[in-house]
Amino acid sequence: MTAWIKKNSLVSYFVLAYAISWAFMFTLAASHRGWIEIKVPYSLHYLASFGPMLSALIISSITAGGAGVRKLLSGLFIWRVPLRYYAFAVLGPIALFIFAVLLSRLVTGAWPDLLLLGEADYLGNIGIPAVLLLWFLTYGLGEEVG
């Protein structure tokens, strides 16, 4: 099996990423459809976002050992891009947010409720810092590392 995974690492990665992610989602769906007796909270869906990262770590470990895992994770800390790209990465979303707020005001005639920024699906209002941390860990690291 290891030889096949090494030869077909990209296919193996995708199959495993989907399997891990959908294991969480299927469990959630099965619970809420009454197919299983365990009551699973909707917030479990956030764990599905770790499927790509876990798959990348597992496949890297199988195909290249510890060195492969270290190489994968080291990419998180080595940022060799010009300063203008950092500025764009930080200021671009802020500019789009301001544009969206102004456009919302123009279209609806009212300012959007910015307190809603602290709400996460199925978790309620946990505050803006907590939401940002949640999204960074799940959709940032969980998906993007993969």
Side-chain angles (χ1 to χ4, degrees):
M1 183 63 130
T2 302
W4 188 91
I5 291 173
K6 286 182 179 182
K7 183 178 179 188
N8 300 286
S9 59
L10 185 59
V11 171
S12 300
Y13 162 77
F14 279 107
V15 168
L16 186 57
Y18 276 103
I20 294 169
S21 295
W22 281 99
F24 288 108
M25 298 309 286
F26 179 78
T27 304
L28 180 63
S31 171
H32 289 278
R33 290 295 220 171
W35 299 339
I36 60 175
E37 294 295 321
I38 302 167
K39 293 298 175 195
V40 179
Y42 278 117
S43 56
L44 181 74
H45 87 280
Y46 288 108
L47 296 178
S49 67
F50 290 105
M53 179 184 69
L54 292 173
S55 180
L57 290 169
I58 291 166
I59 298 300
S60 293
S61 176
I62 291 170
T63 59
V69 173
R70 282 188 296 280
K71 182 178 179 186
L72 174 67
L73 295 177
S74 71
L76 295 173
F77 304 103
I78 301 173
W79 302 347
R80 295 184 187 143
V81 295
L83 184 58
R84 68 180 179 270
Y85 292 113
Y86 288 110
F88 179 77
V90 172
L91 298 177
I94 293 171
L96 287 173
F97 174 77
I98 291 169
F99 174 74
V101 167
L102 295 174
L103 184 63
S104 176
R105 169 72 173 156
L106 181 68
V107 171
T108 66
W111 292 103
D113 184 1
L114 298 180
L115 294 177
L116 295 176
L117 291 173
E119 287 192 13
D121 289 338
Y122 313 115
L123 294 175
N125 194 327
I126 59 174
I128 294 172
V131 165
L132 291 175
L133 179 63
L134 173 72
W135 291 337
F136 172 76
L137 293 174
T138 57
Y139 302 116
L141 289 178
E143 287 185 353
E144 298 304 324
V145 169

